[in-house]
Amino acid sequence: LQSTVLGLVIAATAFALPSKGRGTVGQRTTSPSSLRLSVLPRQAGCDTPSYIPFNETQLPNPFVLNNGAPVTTLTEWACRRSQISSLIQGYEAGYLPPRPPIVTAQFARSGTNANLTITTGALGKTVSFTPTIVYPTTAAPAGGYPVVIAYDFLTIPVPDGIAIMTYGNSEMAEQNDLSSRGQGIFYDLYGSNATASAMIAWAWGVSRIIDALEITPSANINPAKVAVTGCSRDGKGAMMAGAFEPRVALTIPQESGSGGDTCWRLSKYEQDMGDVVQQATEIVTEDPWFSANFDNWVYNISQLPYDHHSLAGMIAPRPMISYENTAFEWLSPLSAYGCMTAAHTIWEAMGVPENHGFVQVGDHPHCEFPTYLNESLFAFFDKFLLDEPNVNTSYFSTNGQFNGTAWVPQDWINWETPTLT
Ligand code: MCU
């Protein structure tokens, strides 16, 4: 086992993508003692057992409730979604705390730039962070400007009319290496032993940003028109935020790779087929993106009662478009295509397949965005943030460059897609 781990670490080092510079945004208020604002698990709204016996090398059918009953209605899906939320928090993501009793916001604008300082917590213990906003020069629509929240810094083009918020998620929960587990503003509030992974802490921060926008009309941002994006590690995080915060109106993970819009089982399969891809066993050695508990499952991922097609499916029917780059085998390109093909069935079941886009190309550096991709991206922005309902958003494509690994979705998707009523 030890030598396998070492081998994977060496492989990871050889194939690791360049690390981005970490932006510094936000003010940090630290406090020595830890505070548990809530010890009660989030209510699932339906029966959610804590242990589900399971063993499946194919992707688990997302349309089955924990008690084995099929999901046939949108109401049953709402229950299934809450079960998936609990399962993912329990197995890999850690506990997402609810809105704390205190959320206040201070807004300061100068020209097209503004700071939104958010203070949140409970009596006796609060933390603050300050996302920045750059406003469009166009007139605001009724209800305020739409906004795209960029994790750390923006790596995609944004059309006119949309404000850009830069969110220092890496300060909310650090991602320097495993020694940064439990470090950051979130953990100053909830304690360094909180089970929440960095990605859950980031999502919690997105929720507090939307809370703040809701109580700050002077910011002139429409809290119902919030997109979230990020690339690579931050792309994984953007997808988590879209999954766990239903007020996110548009989710745009860019080159999220393993742990993002890929499935654990398919990344393992891809690795077993000879590609060197990041998989669960390696990802938990890099950064605290997942909870410490996930360490217990990474060698037995066939026992997970979900996979990331279900995580993405938590976003449905809200829109999501993810981008992938086959130039980097490490991103697990076969897994991304397979996983998003599986996730797509969830939007199909709701009758809105055009709300789920996936575009996989392979001709550019990691986290760059070639201009020919603007068409699909702007279609999603136009339709879902800029109120142009007739724009076509049916984009689901791959270049199929999976380093020679033959693959058909039917190998993994063994369910009939229901029409949810
Ligand atoms: C694709 O995201 C990560 C990847 O999971 C890591 O293995 C690698 O070290 O860094 C990538 C990244 O965030 O690049 C900026």
Side-chain angles (χ1 to χ4, degrees):
L1 189 75
Q2 202 61 28
S3 68
T4 318
V5 173
L6 193 63
L8 286 163
V9 170
I10 290 165
T13 311
F15 285 82
L17 296 162
S19 216
K20 296 193 299 191
R22 303 281 108 194
T24 47
V25 176
Q27 242 180 329
R28 178 115 166 230
T29 311
T30 49
S31 177
S33 64
S34 74
L35 172 76
R36 304 202 69 162
L37 291 175
S38 169
V39 289
L40 289 174
R42 173 172 275 201
Q43 285 297 308
C46 58
D47 172 40
T48 305
S50 57
Y51 176 72
I52 295 97
F54 197 88
N55 201 332
E56 181 62 272
T57 51
Q58 289 195 316
L59 294 178
N61 181 348
F63 302 107
V64 178
L65 293 160
N66 288 346
N67 66 8
V71 173
T72 59
T73 66
L74 289 166
T75 306
E76 285 162 356
W77 174 262
C79 171
R80 179 63 191 146
R81 183 186 175 281
S82 110
Q83 292 178 339
I84 292 167
S85 168
S86 295
L87 292 170
I88 292 179
Q89 288 179 65
Y91 282 88
E92 71 169 50
Y95 172 59
L96 173 63
R99 178 182 174 138
I102 296 173
V103 182
T104 61
Q106 254 191 310
F107 176 71
R109 180 170 175 171
S110 163
T112 53
N113 291 287
N115 289 340
L116 183 68
T117 298
I118 299 156
T119 299
T120 181
L123 208 56
K125 177 86 177 255
T126 58
V127 292
S128 297
F129 63 111
T130 305
T132 59
I133 306 172
V134 177
Y135 283 86
T137 49
T138 52
Y145 292 105
V147 67
V148 53
I149 300 177
Y151 270 36
D152 281 324
F153 52 87
L154 186 70
T155 47
I156 54 169
V158 173
D160 277 354
I162 298 175
I164 294 162
M165 176 183 281
T166 305
Y167 163 44
N169 57 293
S170 296
E171 296 202 334
M172 182 57 73
E174 291 179 14
Q175 48 173 340
N176 294 322
D177 56 33
L178 283 189
S179 70
S180 54
R181 183 177 294 287
Q183 306 296 308
I185 295 164
F186 175 92
Y187 303 100
D188 294 342
L189 184 60
Y190 289 103
S192 56
N193 289 329
T195 62
S197 58
M199 291 207 282
I200 281 288
W202 302 340
W204 177 90
V206 167
S207 297
R208 301 295 73 81
I209 289 171
I210 300 175
D211 294 342
L213 292 173
E214 286 177 348
I215 57 171
T216 312
S218 58
N220 206 15
I221 300 281
N222 187 343
K225 297 279 184 195
V226 173
V228 175
T229 191
C231 189
S232 210
R233 57 196 64 201
D234 288 344
K236 308 180 209 302
M239 193 170 109
M240 275 276 181
F244 282 97
E245 175 45 78
R247 291 173 295 176
V248 171
L250 172 60
T251 304
I252 311 171
Q254 181 189 8
E255 298 183 34
S256 58
S258 293
D261 70 351
T262 63
C263 284
W264 299 121
R265 286 169 175 82
L266 301 188
S267 297
K268 180 176 187 308
Y269 168 82
E270 196 171 357
Q271 174 88 13
D272 291 345
M273 295 302 285
D275 287 353
V276 178
V277 306
Q278 184 170 35
Q279 49 178 329
T281 45
E282 192 280 340
I283 208 165
V284 296
T285 67
E286 270 198 58
D287 271 295
W289 296 316
F290 296 93
S291 64
N293 185 48
F294 193 42
D295 292 359
N296 297 314
W297 298 96
V298 292
Y299 284 96
N300 297 294
I301 54 169
S302 64
Q303 290 176 16
L304 297 175
Y306 67 90
D307 213 317
H308 274 209
H309 61 310
S310 298
L311 172 63
M314 286 172 64
I315 298 169
R318 290 171 293 130
M320 155 174 170
I321 182 162
S322 65
Y323 291 90
E324 280 294 352
N325 188 347
T326 59
F328 298 94
E329 193 173 296
W330 185 244
L331 294 173
S332 200
L334 178 154
S335 180
Y337 176 61
C339 194
M340 288 302 97
T341 303
H344 201 63
T345 66
I346 298 167
W347 277 269
E348 278 172 343
M350 295 179 187
V352 286
E354 69 277 11
N355 285 13
H356 179 230
F358 176 76
V359 180
Q360 188 170 41
V361 295
D363 56 356
H364 59 277
H366 186 47
C367 295
E368 279 193 17
F369 200 84
T371 48
Y372 71 86
L373 292 177
N374 287 6
E375 184 186 304
S376 54
L377 179 65
F378 281 32
F380 272 74
F381 275 131
D382 287 347
K383 181 163 181 178
F384 299 112
L385 252 51
L386 292 169
D387 287 326
E388 294 178 34
N390 298 323
V391 172
N392 170 31
T393 53
S394 297
Y395 291 91
F396 200 101
S397 66
T398 176
N399 60 10
Q401 287 172 17
F402 306 137
N403 295 295
T405 311
W407 181 76
V408 286
Q410 289 69 27
D411 290 348
W412 301 101
I413 301 169
N414 63 358
W415 58 89
E416 296 286 323
T417 302
T419 300
L420 302 178
T421 53

